Amino acid sequence: QVQLVESGGGLVQAGGSLRLSCAASGRTFSSYGMGWFRQTPGKEREFVAAISRNGGSTSYADSVKGRFTISRDNAKNTGYLQMNSLKLEDTGVYYCAATPRWLVVATAGYDYWGQGTQVTVSS
């Protein structure tokens, strides 16, 4: 079992930045790839970014490429999502997730999920 807790969400103006954190406990964090997803009311949860177990490989949704950066610190059992140049459409609940698989972009590929943190981008 892996327990995940997100933090760092909040209200930010368009063009601003936020950094989300995902603290992991339980099994060895470095044994799992990690992903970030987001969801807005009435829509399916969508892929944002993923990172491999050692952090050497990453994948991003086209909508966030060049603006968001996923990273991890296995010594601290924590993953991060740095979000810059935020847009109104980035608003949503952001979830981190863990998977034993490689750079998964589908929600079904993840075994463990956090409870989510709200990000609201205002104009």
Side-chain angles (χ1 to χ4, degrees):
Q1 289 282 350
V2 176
Q3 293 78 43
L4 303 171
V5 179
E6 303 94 336
S7 62
L11 176 65
V12 63
Q13 285 192 325
S17 298
L18 279 176
R19 188 175 82 154
L20 305 183
S21 298
C22 176
S25 60
R27 291 193 175 182
T28 306
F29 180 58
S30 59
S31 298
Y32 293 86
M34 193 186 76
W36 287 94
F37 291 76
R38 64 188 181 192
Q39 189 170 22
T40 53
K43 293 188 177 181
E44 292 188 355
R45 196 168 296 187
E46 66 172 354
F47 170 75
V48 175
I51 190 167
S52 60
R53 299 172 189 175
N54 65 0
S57 298
T58 57
S59 178
Y60 295 92
D62 288 343
S63 59
V64 306
K65 279 181 182 176
R67 300 189 298 121
F68 290 12
T69 302
I70 188 171
S71 63
R72 64 190 297 162
D73 185 341
N74 286 342
K76 296 183 177 179
N77 289 340
T78 303
Y80 304 97
L81 184 68
Q82 178 66 45
M83 305 186 295
N84 298 330
S85 302
L86 282 161
K87 303 177 180 180
L88 297 179
E89 53 263 41
D90 293 319
T91 294
V93 178
Y94 281 70
Y95 299 88
C96 69
T99 176
R101 305 167 189 86
W102 179 262
L103 291 180
V104 179
V105 303
T107 56
Y110 286 82
D111 296 343
Y112 304 102
W113 292 85
Q115 84 290 346
T117 185
Q118 176 71 45
V119 171
T120 302
V121 184
S122 64
S123 59

